[in-house]
């Protein structure tokens, strides 16, 4: 089961976040959190849509190699375990979806290459994003620590 704290819901609603057209509430919570965290960065949301349209933190890639084995990519942004072993093996990765989303944003902002980047232009249409008056990160400078490299 998913535990969502009051703080996480407040962050998701802070200054009006983007939403995903037609998404169930289970997805919408994560879309809104990603939106608030990224200051309504529609490029980031469109990337997540391409990587994992269901916004399912437990999802493993459906891509299979020639031998039929599933690719070892997981979570919201399909983090490739062989490339980011320490991150995917961290106990928080599958147990704290909000932490996982923060790591996806960190990877995105620090230049990690994602396979779904080519789908960003067509995936923008799935989101409705208001203009925000204030930056989430200006309001919450303590969150800037998530942009430091993972140890």
């Amino acid at each position: 089961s998913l535990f969502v704290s009051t703080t996480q819901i407040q962050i998701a609603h802070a200054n009006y976040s983007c939403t995903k057209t037609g998404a169930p509430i289970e997805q919408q919570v994560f879309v809104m959190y990603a939106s608030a965290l990224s200051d309504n960065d529609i490029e980031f949301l469109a990337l997540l849509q391409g990587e994992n349209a269901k916004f399912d933190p437990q999802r493993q890639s459906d891509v299979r190699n020639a031998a039929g084995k599933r690719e070892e990519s997981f979570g919201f942004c399909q983090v490739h375990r062989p490339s980011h072993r320490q991150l995917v093996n961290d106990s928080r990765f599958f147990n704290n979806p909000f932490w996982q989303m923060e790591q996806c944003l960190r990877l995105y902002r620090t230049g990690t290459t994602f396979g779904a980047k080519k789908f960003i232009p067509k995936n923008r249409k799935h989101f409705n994003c208001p203009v925000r008056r204030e930056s989430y990160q200006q309001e919450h400078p303590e969150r800037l620590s998530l942009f430091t490299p993972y140890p």
Side-chain angles (χ1 to χ4, degrees):
S1 75
L2 175 65
F3 172 76
V4 180
S5 75
T6 303
T7 301
Q8 289 158 334
I9 290 175
Q10 288 170 339
I11 288 169
H13 289 283
N15 293 321
Y16 305 107
S17 298
C18 299
T19 57
K20 181 179 172 187
T21 305
I25 190 65
E26 296 82 13
Q27 286 182 33
Q28 214 64 270
V29 168
F30 296 130
V31 170
M32 293 172 72
Y33 187 73
S35 176
L37 204 59
S38 69
D39 287 327
N40 287 347
D41 184 341
I42 196 161
E43 303 282 315
F44 177 59
L45 297 175
L47 175 77
L48 293 174
Q49 174 72 20
E51 291 291 345
N52 181 349
K54 296 179 182 184
F55 282 78
D56 176 359
Q58 304 296 316
R59 185 165 185 234
Q60 181 179 358
S61 174
D62 294 324
V63 174
R64 296 184 182 271
N65 65 19
K69 185 178 177 196
R70 286 172 76 180
E71 179 181 86
E72 288 191 68
S73 294
F74 302 92
F76 292 121
C77 59
Q78 294 297 286
V79 178
H80 188 237
R81 179 178 275 152
S83 300
H84 302 279
R85 189 166 304 282
Q86 187 176 8
L87 177 60
V88 177
N89 289 343
D90 188 302
S91 63
R92 295 172 289 185
F93 190 84
F94 291 109
N95 294 313
N96 184 338
F98 299 96
W99 182 86
Q100 185 189 122
M101 184 67 75
E102 292 164 8
Q103 300 313 305
C104 288
L105 181 60
R106 182 184 58 77
L107 291 171
Y108 168 75
R109 292 253 170 102
T110 57
T112 297
T113 301
F114 290 95
K117 185 176 181 178
K118 62 187 171 205
F119 300 116
I120 288 174
K122 77 173 190 133
N123 286 337
R124 285 188 194 111
K125 68 183 177 197
H126 296 286
F127 302 95
N128 299 305
C129 297
V131 175
R132 292 176 55 144
R133 289 177 297 196
E134 303 243 356
S135 166
Y136 169 78
Q137 291 184 8
Q138 288 173 347
E139 294 173 27
H140 302 278
E142 72 279 6
R143 301 306 293 185
L144 293 176
S145 63
L146 65 89
F147 300 110
T148 57
Y150 188 79

